[in-house]
Amino acid sequence: MKQLIRMALTSLVKNELFWFFFAKTIAPLTYYAENSRFKAIFGKRIVMNGPFKGMKYPQTKAICSAIYPKLLGSYEYELEPLMRELCKNCYSEIVDIGCAKGYYAVGLAIQIETAKVFAFDTNPEALTLCKTMAELNNVASRVITGAYCDAETLMALPLTGKALVISDCEGYEKELFTNKVADHLRRHEILIEIHDFVDNSISEHIKKLFSSTHEITIYSSINDEDKIINYNFKSLLGFQVDTKRLILREGRPMVMKWFYMKPKEF
């Protein structure tokens, strides 16, 4: 019976009339159904998974980084176990340098009610949307935004207790993290996205600055194609490979690394 079915299917797919019928009927219906489901899921503009599940976005627009991974909750999912642990801490301040639309700045403000959040980005539109998102999620009173953060700005921030500093500054790490800054942050936790593709000496620079005061844990990114195979979010069920690629793609130029640094003495 199975052999007869296989023979029938083999004959069918070789028939040009079948593909004409498929192209005119089944294919458009499949596309319409998938497109409708895509709009229904992401049109809500609510993060669906991860530590910031339930966070609301003001609009579906990509600025500085991809929007769909953030709405799905797969954005930088390599850090998900770490981020869940950080959300358990009662930080007095959180500094997010390169905050974009506020995925971490607003997400952490929601999760850590003790923290005042300082969010910086040089993109004016991203910073405006970060403010809007803070208002939408009722944390605007604790999210303070700024356009530019250099070493002096960072050291001038009032870190009153136990702080968390997050940096995604696109290759500016060596200018931002100086010897003085490293000494200033010796009691605080730090998470840095390392941009060695901009300057391949950044990793060693950061290690040299912080290895005496902090325990350094290194996290590596997963390439976008492997995410299609390995990420099994329920929201992805039923989507074609190209649609999954659109949803999961973060567009990193190479394997990225993050350094999570925890103080040794405190």
Side-chain angles (χ1 to χ4, degrees):
M1 184 63 178
K2 290 182 179 179
Q3 186 174 357
L4 288 173
I5 294 173
R6 280 197 293 267
M7 290 173 63
L9 288 173
T10 301
S11 176
L12 187 63
V13 298
K14 290 180 180 178
N15 190 312
E16 291 185 8
L17 287 175
F18 167 77
W19 290 111
F20 178 81
F21 175 79
F22 182 87
K24 293 296 183 180
T25 58
I26 300 173
L29 286 172
T30 301
Y31 171 79
Y32 176 79
E34 181 167 270
N35 190 48
S36 296
R37 182 164 176 256
F38 183 92
K39 290 180 178 179
I41 291 175
F42 291 99
K44 295 176 182 178
R45 302 193 301 274
I46 298 175
V47 177
M48 291 173 268
N49 301 281
F52 307 139
K53 181 178 179 180
M55 182 168 65
K56 301 173 185 176
Y57 264 75
Q59 62 183 52
T60 309
K61 184 176 181 180
I63 298 175
C64 303
S65 60
I67 183 64
Y68 294 122
K70 292 180 177 178
L71 289 174
L72 177 65
S74 65
Y75 180 70
E76 296 186 352
Y77 202 63
E78 301 90 338
L79 298 175
E80 194 263 354
L82 170 63
M83 202 55 58
R84 287 195 182 277
E85 288 302 312
L86 298 183
C87 286
K88 297 176 183 178
N89 296 332
C90 296
Y91 297 111
S92 53
E93 292 84 25
I94 295 170
V95 183
D96 187 358
I97 305 162
C99 66
K101 290 172 67 174
Y103 183 74
Y104 286 120
V106 176
L108 288 169
I110 294 169
Q111 294 296 323
I112 306 173
E113 296 180 356
T114 58
K116 178 182 288 185
V117 179
F118 297 94
F120 295 90
D121 203 284
T122 56
N123 185 309
E125 187 177 5
L127 209 58
T128 297
L129 287 172
C130 180
K131 294 177 184 178
T132 303
M133 193 157 90
E135 292 170 359
L136 185 62
N137 289 278
N138 301 312
V139 293
S141 63
R142 292 189 289 111
V143 177
I144 301 158
T145 58
Y148 185 69
C149 183
D150 58 12
E152 290 184 2
T153 304
L154 180 53
M155 287 191 293
L157 293 175
L159 305 182
T160 59
K162 179 183 179 182
L164 170 66
V165 176
I166 299 175
S167 167
D168 181 3
C169 59
E170 305 300 329
Y172 186 62
E173 291 93 317
K174 288 171 69 175
E175 290 76 16
L176 178 61
F177 294 102
T178 63
N179 287 317
K180 288 184 178 179
V181 169
D183 185 64
H184 183 70
L185 298 177
R186 63 188 300 117
R187 297 192 304 113
H188 305 293
E189 296 178 39
I190 310 163
L191 176 62
I192 304 177
E193 182 171 304
I194 303 294
H195 295 83
D196 277 340
F197 70 91
V198 176
D199 180 346
N200 61 14
S201 66
I202 290 175
S203 289
E204 292 307 312
H205 172 80
I206 298 298
K207 287 178 183 177
K208 184 177 179 181
L209 279 182
F210 291 100
S211 58
S212 63
T213 56
H214 291 73
E215 296 287 348
I216 302 176
T217 304
I218 299 175
Y219 293 82
S220 297
S221 67
I222 299 172
N223 72 63
D224 287 340
E225 292 303 310
D226 284 343
K227 291 172 185 175
I228 297 172
I229 299 169
N230 296 320
Y231 286 4
N232 298 311
F233 297 99
K234 289 182 180 179
S235 305
L236 294 175
L237 292 175
F239 283 124
Q240 301 296 315
V241 170
D242 285 347
T243 306
K244 289 182 179 180
R245 185 176 288 114
L246 170 67
I247 294 169
L248 293 168
R249 184 177 182 275
E250 295 182 30
R252 299 185 182 279
M254 57 179 287
V255 174
M256 299 290 294
K257 292 181 179 179
W258 295 270
F259 287 4
Y260 167 61
M261 301 185 289
K262 189 172 184 178
K264 292 180 178 180
E265 299 179 7
F266 300 92

